[in-house]
Amino acid sequence: MAEPEQRQSAGQRLGAQESLGISTLEHGHRPPAMPPGRRISVRVHMLDDTEEVFEVSQRAPGKVLFDMVCTHLNLIEGDYFGLEFQNQHKMTVWLDLLKPIVKQITRPKNMILRFMVKFFPPDQAQLLEELTRYLFALQIKYDLACGHLTCNESSAALLVSHIVQSEIGDFDEIQSRQHLLYNKYIPEQDALLDKILECHRKHAGQTPAESDYQLLEIARRLEMYGIRLHPAKDRENTKLNLAVAHTGILVFQGHTKINAFNWSKVRKLSFKRKRFLIKLRPDLNSACQDTLEFLMASRDCCKVFWKICVEYHAFFRLFEEPKPKPKPVLFTRGSSFRFSGRTQKQVIDYVKDSEFKKIPFESPRLSDSSGASQGLVNGQRQALTPGPSPDGRQPSPLTSPLLNDAGCVRTDDEDELRRKRFPTDKAYFIAKELLTTERTYLKDLEVITSLLEKEEAAPDSLGSMVSANYDPLHKFHADFLKEVEQRLALWEGRSNAHMKGDHQLIGDIMLKNIQGLKQLSAHLQKLSEVLLELERACRASRRLEVLCRDLELQKVCYLPLNVFLLRPLHRLMHYKQLLERLCKHYPATHVDFRDSRAALADVSEMVAQLHGTMIKMENFQKLLELRKDLVGIDNLAAPGREFIRLGCLSKLSAKGLQQRMFFLFNDVLLYTSRGMTASNQFKVHGQLPLYGMTIRESEDEWGVPNSFTLFGQRQSVVVAASSASEMDKWIEDIKMAIDLSEKCNGPSSNPLASCWEYVQESEDDLSASRTSLERQVPHRGNTTVHVCWHRNTSVSMVDFSLAVENQLSGNLLRKFKNSNGWQKLWVVFTNFSLFFYKTHQDNSPLASLPLLGYSVTIPSESENIHKDYVFKLHFKSHVYYFRSESEYSFERWMEVIRSATTSACRTRILSRKESHPY
């Protein structure tokens, strides 16, 4: 008989998917300071059945140990969890975060604490990180196995089938059956074997993250979800069980709920010896008595349950952690216990607003061959090895040595020497910008040439089209890069110093290669056909669609895949900008001026010829990209549709202002809500046709700042922007779109109407589960749409078009707000974001920092930077400093970053567009 397959580690199980992540740069998430005193070793049993040992001072409060566990797991939403153990009275209790550990755990050598879910929210959509949902899925798995989560046979079989899908993947008769024979997930599993296999067969193509989501979705609907029963008796001596949930106190008879007391009805909870008391608020319409009394086994049992009730009430009902009561002077009365930690609202607000987004979760228990001894960044081996963490243990492989203070490379002296040795002429730095951006551009071309064309799933027509058009471009630019590198080496005097001649120019190389690139203009003209063919092929082949989706989830594909297809067109504009700066710098008598001017004329001619194609394909590419972010619409990239703006607005409903994501096109305005699903997509809740729409500011009418009303033919919607400037952008764009719809479309031209009807938005529907008809797929969580959602801002097609023109690459020194050393990184600016690499040879970024919502300024004297060419990036409490090597590069970085942090001028991109049916 075959051996049972080896279980995946947590890191293997979750893979290296992108962070919702907004930024992986925020530092300071370290284990808390350890109080003095004798160290003790505490064993903690994790949810994945591994066991970890933590060294902690016996005088430390429980929070120190708990924070060490969360740091070890790289867990942000740790407040849903706790450490459970058996005290000296053999009762299962939670570790008190405020009390010293030594007062709770008397014999630590013989004690094993369990890391468990403590607070069960009503909806897994409230869990914002995939790691948190994965740990919740492990808790459900544990509860099923030990009998806490009871349910009927159909639900049990379905739950187990999702667990199996998560662990071994798609159904295979032999493998699935053997896996279930070796692994017991429920007590009576053998009797349900065939039913489990039947359910597993239906999950084909479902990813582990999707399986987790479905598992939690089913589990949360069960009556015993998150329930821990505490035996009690009523006044008639009837045996009952008490439990606590997010809604209030529950009463069970066996496993059947017979009563519930909502938190809003409970006035006070208390206990007196063995009696547990619930005091209710007076209700004239109810015959229920004001005080309910239950008898439990002992005073300790009463106190344990009372503590859990206090914590559940505070976590789910309060806005912030309750403040400690002042200590009495003479004597105490009652328990001083209080809830410690963030409330659920604080957790949600923190994760949503915070810029700290981790490197994807990896298993803390790496094998010797995994490279942990040398430090890992996103699974890649790094040469730089940080020292031990503050608790004396080796640092977690989750923490990049390049993204924290311990890994800072102090290069001040080396940098100063370099500045004195290298040229200072502006033409040199323009040539160097050509070199650094060409390196990034060549890497971008390799994403297409090395990944797409060699895949067997791609049809021959697509593969040959990619090869025929991108291979010549890649070869040309590889040769061009070598030539530029050689010229810069001569210019800097780093090689061939014996050679004579004037090597301090770049226009001659530019002219020669622009003329060579003109010979490849036929390939540039056909790039739009490649994009269209890729779209057609993906629609025709499910396998190719999955392949492209998987490629986008790889770290090397740091942008949407079809963005790379348009890179050669964008690169022409970059050459034009560089040559414009070069010609502006040179006097007419300079030896390099004539070549530079001739090269500028040639590249300007190419840009003009390809401009219409580029505008058309940028819009098409944006529609394809947005389609992946939306659920509930299939024909977004319809002929004639043009994207105008996307961003956050608050929609006024019966329950107040609700955050929604709006998408404005030239014929319709869509509004959506963000579902916390494995796919990270936005669900379309309604469409507002623009034909016949009017718009009016309505702050005085509704009393809501920055609000305006959209009057459609069938309904009116009141929305509010986050600021006056945001409101002005939306109103101007919507008015322009209304004018366009009246001129071009007419009342009957609504491409969406044929595909779906308008559905009145239901607030209850927003938190309801996704139907099985909505196929959920893994999706990048760091797209511009998600950044706008988290930063509560918007961007227009004008901004997107300017963003592709404002791209930059090069070395920068980076420093955190409270750190001392400067760290050298290779930085790429594109798509409103900074992408950080260790060197320019690296294939994938270590981290990224989306800049929408950030401000870029020069540090003040009080910040004590005392370095030249430093700029500061800040958003709320997040501050980063960057140093460039010269005045020219400093001004260029400031220029391009301002293009991402400041909205574009109101020059309308639609004024230079024509209608382009695809």
Side-chain angles (χ1 to χ4, degrees):
M1 185 174 288
E3 293 294 323
E5 64 273 11
Q6 186 176 357
R7 290 284 184 88
Q8 289 182 316
S9 68
Q12 294 168 328
R13 148 68 178 75
L14 279 181
Q17 208 165 316
E18 127 6 83
S19 69
L20 223 182
I22 303 301
S23 170
T24 53
L25 290 176
E26 187 66 20
H27 80 305
H29 286 258
R30 300 175 174 177
M34 188 69 64
R38 185 172 68 86
R39 297 290 182 98
I40 56 175
S41 297
V42 181
R43 290 184 292 167
V44 178
H45 191 89
M46 301 296 188
L47 280 165
D48 61 355
D49 283 336
T50 61
E51 193 173 290
E52 299 291 339
V53 179
F54 296 90
E55 297 289 332
V56 62
S57 169
Q58 62 178 358
R59 294 168 55 185
K63 180 172 173 54
V64 171
L65 174 61
F66 181 71
D67 285 352
M68 288 173 67
V69 176
C70 292
T71 300
H72 173 77
L73 291 172
N74 215 22
L75 178 63
I76 292 180
E77 297 174 290
D79 305 76
Y80 289 100
F81 301 83
L83 293 172
E84 196 178 61
F85 67 100
Q86 276 198 341
N87 62 14
Q88 62 269 32
H89 303 298
K90 302 299 181 183
M91 296 183 62
T92 302
V93 297
W94 294 104
L95 185 72
D96 192 322
L97 300 185
L98 298 180
K99 278 188 177 181
I101 293 174
V102 70
K103 290 188 177 181
Q104 304 182 69
I105 304 175
T106 55
R107 302 178 66 184
K109 289 184 179 180
N110 302 322
M111 182 70 67
I112 298 179
L113 284 74
R114 295 189 68 96
F115 180 77
M116 306 280 279
V117 174
K118 187 175 185 179
F119 301 111
F120 289 82
D123 188 351
Q124 70 274 18
Q126 295 172 338
L127 306 175
L128 304 185
E129 295 222 317
E130 185 185 339
L131 170 57
T132 313
R133 294 192 291 272
Y134 171 58
L135 294 174
F136 264 74
L138 292 179
Q139 181 69 60
I140 298 301
K141 177 181 169 183
Y142 172 81
D143 289 349
L144 279 171
C146 67
H148 285 325
L149 185 58
T150 57
C151 55
N152 60 38
E153 291 185 351
S154 297
S155 296
L158 190 56
L159 288 167
V160 173
S161 70
H162 282 297
I163 295 175
V164 175
Q165 175 73 20
S166 174
E167 293 191 348
I168 68 173
D170 288 349
F171 175 81
D172 177 88
E173 180 72 36
I174 297 176
Q175 182 189 20
S176 301
R177 189 175 294 275
Q178 288 182 345
H179 181 84
L180 288 168
L181 290 175
Y182 283 111
N183 299 276
K184 298 297 181 184
Y185 298 107
I186 51 177
E188 304 299 328
Q189 181 171 297
D190 292 343
L192 297 176
L193 186 60
D194 291 337
K195 187 172 288 189
I196 295 170
L197 292 173
E198 181 183 349
C199 293
H200 184 202
R201 188 193 304 271
K202 299 175 182 178
H203 304 329
Q206 188 170 283
T207 67
E210 291 171 324
S211 298
D212 289 349
Y213 184 87
Q214 295 299 331
L215 180 72
L216 296 178
E217 178 64 22
I218 298 165
R220 77 178 182 92
R221 298 173 181 274
L222 301 176
E223 191 165 71
M224 296 303 292
Y225 167 70
I227 295 300
R228 299 295 181 263
L229 300 176
H230 297 256
K233 295 179 181 179
D234 62 10
R235 288 181 174 177
E236 286 73 37
N237 214 30
T238 304
K239 289 184 178 180
L240 302 169
N241 288 304
L242 299 181
V244 61
H246 68 281
T247 54
I249 310 296
L250 311 178
V251 183
F252 287 80
Q253 196 160 36
H255 287 81
T256 302
K257 184 170 68 175
I258 61 173
N259 210 341
F261 304 101
N262 194 281
W263 292 124
S264 61
K265 299 179 181 179
V266 176
R267 183 168 62 88
K268 184 179 180 181
L269 296 175
S270 61
F271 65 96
K272 294 180 180 179
R273 295 184 176 87
K274 296 182 180 182
R275 292 182 298 149
F276 183 80
L277 306 173
I278 304 176
K279 293 185 179 180
L280 303 175
R281 300 184 187 279
D283 187 355
L284 299 178
N285 298 322
S286 173
C288 185
Q289 52 192 324
D290 292 343
T291 302
L292 302 174
E293 182 178 308
F294 298 91
L295 191 67
M296 305 189 81
S298 65
R299 178 186 180 277
D300 288 339
C301 292
C302 270
K303 187 171 184 179
V304 166
F305 183 61
W306 173 79
K307 282 185 175 182
I308 296 174
C309 293
V310 169
E311 292 186 308
Y312 250 83
H313 175 267
F315 185 75
F316 286 108
R317 296 281 290 183
L318 299 186
F319 284 172
E320 58 184 22
E321 177 183 358
K323 294 179 173 59
K325 297 179 181 178
K327 292 184 178 180
V329 179
L330 297 178
F331 59 90
T332 62
R333 181 180 179 182
S335 173
S336 61
F337 175 78
R338 68 178 178 89
F339 171 74
S340 173
R342 296 180 296 191
T343 64
Q344 187 190 34
K345 182 181 185 302
Q346 289 176 310
V347 174
I348 293 174
D349 290 345
Y350 170 79
V351 178
K352 183 176 176 181
D353 295 339
S354 173
E355 296 300 56
F356 179 76
K357 295 294 178 184
K358 304 182 297 298
I359 293 172
F361 179 60
E362 299 286 345
S363 172
R365 298 174 63 87
L366 295 170
S367 64
D368 293 338
S369 62
S370 67
S373 61
Q374 293 189 356
L376 291 175
V377 180
N378 281 3
Q380 292 186 346
R381 198 179 295 268
Q382 301 293 322
L384 190 64
T385 305
S389 60
D391 62 352
R393 305 173 66 209
Q394 284 299 315
S396 167
L398 308 175
T399 307
S400 163
L402 297 173
L403 302 181
N404 57 31
D405 292 342
C408 279
V409 182
R410 291 168 174 78
T411 59
D412 293 356
D413 295 339
E414 173 189 341
D415 188 58
E416 293 300 328
L417 290 172
R418 186 180 180 281
R419 287 189 193 178
K420 293 177 182 178
R421 186 174 74 246
F422 282 178
T424 57
D425 181 36
K426 184 176 182 179
Y428 162 77
F429 292 110
I430 294 174
K432 189 167 184 180
E433 181 181 337
L434 171 65
L435 169 68
T436 56
T437 53
E438 192 72 13
R439 284 171 173 167
T440 297
Y441 170 60
L442 199 63
K443 288 282 187 183
D444 288 350
L445 281 183
E446 289 168 0
V447 173
I448 302 299
T449 58
S450 64
L451 294 181
L452 187 59
E453 66 171 341
K454 298 178 182 178
E455 295 295 342
E456 297 178 359
D460 293 340
S461 58
L462 178 62
S464 59
M465 186 179 289
V466 170
S467 179
N469 291 292
Y470 285 90
D471 282 353
L473 291 172
H474 181 271
K475 184 179 184 306
F476 171 83
H477 287 284
D479 295 338
F480 180 32
L481 177 59
K482 289 179 182 178
E483 197 169 352
V484 175
E485 287 176 334
Q486 292 170 359
R487 176 60 60 87
L488 265 293
L490 291 171
W491 202 329
E492 296 168 353
R494 290 184 285 117
S495 65
N496 299 323
H498 63 282
M499 294 181 63
K500 296 182 180 180
D502 189 358
H503 303 293
Q504 297 185 355
L505 40 86
I506 195 66
D508 58 333
I509 293 179
M510 289 290 289
L511 176 59
K512 169 190 165 186
N513 284 277
I514 292 297
Q515 290 174 344
L517 193 57
K518 288 179 72 174
Q519 305 302 315
L520 300 175
S521 58
H523 298 299
L524 295 172
Q525 291 281 3
K526 291 184 178 179
L527 298 188
S528 60
E529 297 179 19
V530 178
L531 181 58
L532 292 168
E533 179 61 27
L534 176 61
E535 168 62 12
R536 282 193 291 264
C538 285
R539 283 185 172 272
S541 170
R542 167 67 175 158
R543 184 181 177 190
L544 179 61
E545 181 186 12
V546 172
L547 168 70
C548 292
R549 182 191 72 198
D550 292 343
L551 290 181
E552 286 197 326
L553 295 176
Q554 293 185 19
K555 293 174 292 182
V556 68
C557 196
Y558 62 100
L559 297 172
L561 182 61
N562 52 27
V563 170
F564 293 101
L565 292 170
L566 301 181
R567 277 294 197 244
L569 301 179
H570 299 153
R571 189 59 178 154
L572 291 178
M573 295 192 300
H574 303 157
Y575 292 150
K576 183 173 180 286
Q577 292 173 345
L578 287 165
L579 286 163
E580 285 173 344
R581 284 195 293 273
L582 198 62
C583 290
K584 185 176 181 180
H585 167 66
Y586 283 145
T589 56
H590 194 280
V591 65
D592 204 26
F593 177 75
R594 180 174 294 181
D595 287 342
S596 299
R597 187 173 61 179
L600 176 59
D602 285 345
V603 77
S604 298
E605 180 185 350
M606 294 179 69
V607 168
Q609 290 173 349
L610 294 166
H611 183 69
T613 299
M614 183 171 62
I615 293 298
K616 166 187 169 183
M617 299 320 296
E618 281 178 0
N619 180 71
F620 185 52
Q621 181 274 322
K622 186 54 59 180
L623 293 175
L624 296 179
E625 183 181 336
L626 293 179
R627 190 177 67 187
K628 297 174 185 176
D629 284 306
L630 295 174
V631 171
I633 177 172
D634 292 325
N635 66 334
L636 191 67
R641 174 162 298 130
E642 294 181 350
F643 164 69
I644 299 175
R645 178 174 290 276
L646 65 86
C648 273
L649 292 171
S650 295
K651 178 176 175 289
L652 188 63
S653 68
K655 293 188 176 182
L657 290 171
Q658 304 288 326
Q659 184 180 3
R660 297 288 177 265
M661 199 72 182
F662 281 72
F663 298 83
L664 176 64
F665 303 92
N666 64 336
D667 59 341
V668 68
L669 177 64
L670 306 178
Y671 61 90
T672 69
S673 66
R674 184 170 185 260
M676 300 303 176
T677 68
S679 61
N680 282 322
Q681 291 168 295
F682 290 81
K683 183 175 182 179
V684 176
H685 284 284
Q687 62 155 315
L688 302 173
L690 296 181
Y691 185 82
M693 179 185 286
T694 57
I695 185 171
R696 184 180 71 202
E697 293 187 32
S698 52
E699 180 173 335
D700 295 337
E701 180 180 353
W702 295 99
V704 178
N706 308 315
S707 62
F708 54 96
T709 304
L710 302 169
F711 298 94
Q713 294 180 340
R714 288 180 292 176
Q715 67 165 141
S716 299
V717 174
V718 181
V719 294
S722 59
S723 65
S725 61
E726 278 289 301
M727 179 182 71
D728 291 341
K729 295 175 198 172
W730 276 106
I731 290 178
E732 186 175 352
D733 279 345
I734 293 173
K735 285 181 177 178
M736 177 190 63
I738 291 172
D739 291 341
L740 285 172
S741 70
E742 292 177 349
K743 291 176 182 177
C744 304
N745 295 333
S748 62
S749 179
N750 183 6
L752 295 183
S754 61
C755 134
W756 57 289
E757 294 296 325
Y758 173 77
V759 179
Q760 181 65 38
E761 178 179 9
S762 165
E763 295 299 328
D764 295 334
D765 182 54
L766 298 182
S767 59
S769 63
R770 299 279 190 259
T771 68
S772 59
L773 297 177
E774 294 173 358
R775 178 174 51 83
Q776 295 190 2
V777 296
H779 184 59
R780 304 179 70 95
N782 61 344
T783 64
T784 306
V785 178
H786 289 83
V787 177
C788 287
W789 173 265
H790 284 281
R791 305 275 172 81
N792 199 19
T793 187
S794 68
V795 293
S796 68
M797 192 62 199
V798 179
D799 300 315
F800 280 111
S801 295
L802 291 178
V804 300
E805 298 177 15
N806 291 296
Q807 298 185 19
L808 195 59
S809 306
N811 287 311
L812 285 175
L813 299 176
R814 190 208 61 206
K815 189 177 89 71
F816 292 116
K817 181 178 180 180
N818 298 317
S819 63
N820 295 319
W822 292 84
Q823 179 185 4
K824 188 175 182 180
L825 293 168
W826 175 261
V827 183
V828 174
F829 171 79
T830 186
N831 200 40
F832 309 107
S833 300
L834 294 176
F835 295 89
F836 300 92
Y837 301 74
K838 186 180 178 184
T839 69
H840 70 82
Q841 290 98 340
D842 291 355
N843 289 324
S844 57
L846 300 168
S848 64
L849 180 64
L851 298 180
L852 292 174
Y854 267 77
S855 297
V856 56
T857 58
I858 300 173
S860 63
E861 285 292 327
S862 61
E863 291 172 274
N864 296 318
I865 298 300
H866 305 308
K867 298 288 182 182
D868 294 331
Y869 314 132
V870 176
F871 59 91
K872 170 185 174 183
L873 284 172
H874 51 101
F875 174 76
K876 295 185 178 179
S877 61
H878 308 285
V879 177
Y880 310 104
Y881 300 100
F882 294 92
R883 288 170 59 192
S884 52
E885 64 179 355
S886 67
E887 182 179 1
Y888 172 83
S889 58
F890 168 78
E891 291 174 351
R892 285 289 294 133
W893 280 108
M894 291 282 284
E895 179 184 354
V896 298
I897 290 175
R898 281 199 179 109
S899 73
T901 58
T902 306
S903 291
C905 63
R906 307 318 300 158
T907 305
R908 289 294 163 204
I909 195 168
L910 289 182
S911 65
R912 57 191 181 97
K913 284 187 177 181
E914 297 177 358
S915 180
H916 294 289
Y918 310 129

